[in-house]
Amino acid sequence: MKILFLDQSGKPGGAELCLLDIAKPYQHTSLVTLFTDGDFKTLLEKSNIPVQILTNQTIKTHKQSNLLQGLTSLSQIIPLIIKLTPIARKYDLIYANTQKALVIGALTSLLTQRPLVYHLHDILCTTHFSKTNLHLAITLANRFASLVIANSQASQTAFIKAGGNPNLVQVVYNGFNCQKYQIADNITQQTKQQLEITDKFVIGHFSRLAPWKGQHILIAALAKCPPQITAILVGDALFGEHDYVQQLHQQVADLGLENRVKFLGFRHDIPQLMATCDVITHTSTSPEPFGRVIVEAMLCGKPVIAAQAGGAVELVAHGKTGFLVTPGNIEELAHTITQCYKHPENIIAIANQGRIRASQKFDLQHINQQISQLLHQALNTD
Ligand code: UDP
Ligand code: GLC
């Protein structure tokens, strides 16, 4: 099957890392087109997935920004469509992986009569998007998409609640190459030495730095935990949240936590870093559409404490495969972390169950088979 994948972002966020795994089986027949240059292109090239950048202009990719702001006028949309249309004619199907890709993909699908698939990685609600964005996304999906793949039931429910056609949407979770998350002990010891966290009880946080990812909640909770507990924050501001980064550093200084918090920036060795942690936290203050980091932590065999909202509740069974806490509740998070620190023996079984469950439920091969079946249906070739 020849697929033209579209993604607006040059940055490797979760939706892009998911696309990397989905596009891989189609690498010999398909093309990924990006609306912006960046590290995601390099990752695709390293995986030998053909990639083409469609524009030299940087299209703003703030999640909360107005969908039309990034494509401010027809002067931005038209050149993209003109470039894309002859390319799209060489492919069987258009696969839009982001909201701006949906706008461009829908119009290209209309012009080329190629079926459109929309992979929905967001909870379409007004916390994350303006009413105009919501309306536009729903209208385009309903009118042009043959299939909407939602990354969780939470995303599916929000899509339908916002007016999306229930007959179009199917839930497919992100898939993971589970072996990638098995890290040898000697590597973990080396990494701990490099990070100077040997003999520390380490809390890990692995998300881009953005207010709704709630790194400030973890820092505030850490101040209420025993002083032996330290934290590593892995990730960078991918979409221009530089004020938030400054606020986080200021918060660490104000609370006197400089020796207990390390900011590691964006890293490509997530499994190795997760392996050095005793507990991994997820602290999103708005409902997380899926939450790749939660599954990755479970695959590493680490106890995970996740914010109880959105897709996270589909990934973690509280007290069985991890812990769920009230989003934004600093006291509850601090208490749960402290309990894990004081009773490490109690969390081993939970972490093991988490690993087993995650490797059954999110196996990449199985997920890719599900996607393949759905794409054949969308093409009417099953
Ligand atoms: N990630 C990464 N390097 C970092 C921080 C995060 O590669 O420094 C990865 C992380 O492992 C996960 C993805 O980025 O696979 C983030 O996806 P998630 O679904 O958790 O959140 P998103 O940023 O997409 O909302
Ligand atoms: C988006 C969502 C995140 C999800 C990822 C992959 O970036 O914010 O929750 O895990 O897509 O589907």
Side-chain angles (χ1 to χ4, degrees):
M1 189 186 301
K2 295 193 268 179
I3 307 174
L4 180 64
F5 294 99
L6 304 181
D7 193 294
Q8 72 204 43
S9 177
K11 307 265 178 76
E16 287 68 35
L17 295 173
C18 173
L19 179 63
L20 195 66
D21 286 329
I22 290 173
K24 183 77 178 165
Y26 304 98
Q27 69 191 126
H28 299 300
T29 53
S30 300
L31 174 70
V32 178
T33 49
L34 305 179
F35 303 169
T36 328
D37 204 348
D39 287 349
F40 181 41
K41 180 186 169 216
T42 316
L43 284 180
L44 287 159
E45 284 170 345
K46 274 193 189 152
S47 290
N48 296 316
I49 298 170
V51 52
Q52 186 176 335
I53 306 295
L54 273 191
T55 170
N56 299 328
Q57 292 171 331
T58 304
I59 295 178
K60 278 192 189 158
T61 50
H62 281 262
K63 277 210 154 188
Q64 273 92 344
S65 74
N66 189 311
L67 183 58
L68 291 174
Q69 254 168 29
L71 303 165
T72 17
S73 62
L74 290 176
S75 66
Q76 273 197 321
I77 296 179
I78 289 173
L80 277 175
I81 306 278
I82 291 174
K83 273 192 195 171
L84 203 55
T85 304
I87 300 175
R89 290 195 202 284
K90 298 183 202 151
Y91 294 88
D92 303 322
L93 183 142
I94 300 169
Y95 192 112
N97 197 51
T98 55
Q99 292 220 21
K100 285 165 198 161
L102 171 66
V103 177
I104 302 296
L107 296 173
T108 311
S109 156
L110 177 70
L111 291 171
T112 59
Q113 293 300 297
R114 297 299 186 268
L116 174 73
V117 170
Y118 174 36
H119 197 145
L120 174 63
H121 292 279
D122 296 302
I123 291 184
L124 291 175
C125 64
T126 43
T127 320
H128 284 294
F129 300 97
S130 71
K131 278 191 179 162
T132 323
N133 290 0
L134 277 188
H135 185 65
L136 186 63
I138 297 292
T139 307
L140 292 176
N142 283 350
R143 167 72 182 79
F144 294 104
S146 307
L147 165 71
V148 176
I149 297 175
N151 65 352
S152 65
Q153 286 166 29
S155 296
Q156 181 192 43
T157 304
F159 175 78
I160 296 169
K161 201 172 161 204
N165 178 354
N167 299 324
L168 284 181
V169 60
Q170 297 281 344
V171 174
V172 182
Y173 290 132
N174 281 213
F176 296 82
N177 175 355
C178 302
Q179 276 174 358
K180 228 176 79 179
Y181 298 89
Q182 311 300 310
I183 305 299
D185 283 350
N186 63 325
I187 303 286
T188 304
Q189 287 316 319
Q190 271 174 28
T191 317
K192 277 190 164 187
Q193 276 165 13
Q194 283 160 9
L195 297 175
E196 298 175 355
I197 51 170
T198 316
D199 301 330
K200 299 257 164 64
F201 189 89
V202 180
I203 308 297
H205 195 292
F206 297 80
S207 288
R208 57 198 163 82
L209 303 180
W212 76 275
K213 290 292 185 181
Q215 281 86 358
H216 59 287
I217 302 293
L218 174 60
I219 294 171
L222 189 69
K224 296 177 184 287
C225 292
Q228 295 83 349
I229 303 180
T230 62
I232 56 171
L233 299 187
V234 182
D236 206 350
L238 289 190
F239 304 113
E241 300 91 343
H242 301 295
D243 289 350
Y244 183 61
V245 179
Q246 278 197 340
Q247 277 172 37
L248 291 177
H249 284 277
Q250 189 59 51
Q251 185 188 10
V252 168
D254 291 347
L255 293 169
L257 293 174
E258 291 95 333
N259 294 330
R260 292 172 61 197
V261 177
K262 284 181 195 290
F263 289 90
L264 302 187
F266 188 90
R267 301 276 299 234
H268 290 285
D269 52 349
I270 297 299
Q272 289 77 0
L273 292 171
M274 283 188 168
T276 68
C277 298
D278 295 285
V279 170
I280 292 171
T281 54
H282 161 268
T283 55
S284 293
T285 53
S286 301
E288 183 73 54
F290 176 76
R292 291 175 60 85
V293 290
I294 298 171
V295 176
E296 292 173 309
M298 291 165 85
L299 290 173
C300 283
K302 299 296 167 181
V304 66
I305 305 175
Q308 186 169 17
V313 301
E314 298 163 50
L315 313 182
V316 175
H318 179 67
K320 292 191 178 123
T321 58
F323 301 95
L324 292 168
V325 291
T326 310
N329 189 324
I330 294 163
E331 298 291 340
E332 200 179 326
L333 181 61
H335 175 75
T336 311
I337 293 173
T338 306
Q339 288 305 308
C340 290
Y341 169 68
K342 286 191 177 158
H343 306 287
E345 67 288 355
N346 292 352
I347 54 180
I348 294 172
I350 289 182
N352 278 338
Q353 275 310 307
R355 190 209 303 258
I356 293 166
R357 194 71 190 107
S359 50
Q360 290 164 344
K361 209 170 163 185
F362 306 105
D363 172 64
L364 181 60
Q365 270 196 339
H366 176 68
I367 298 286
N368 275 345
Q369 274 166 12
Q370 274 180 269
I371 300 238
S372 163
Q373 267 177 14
L374 288 171
L375 296 184
H376 278 103
Q377 280 168 22
L379 262 181
N380 291 320
T381 55
D382 57 326

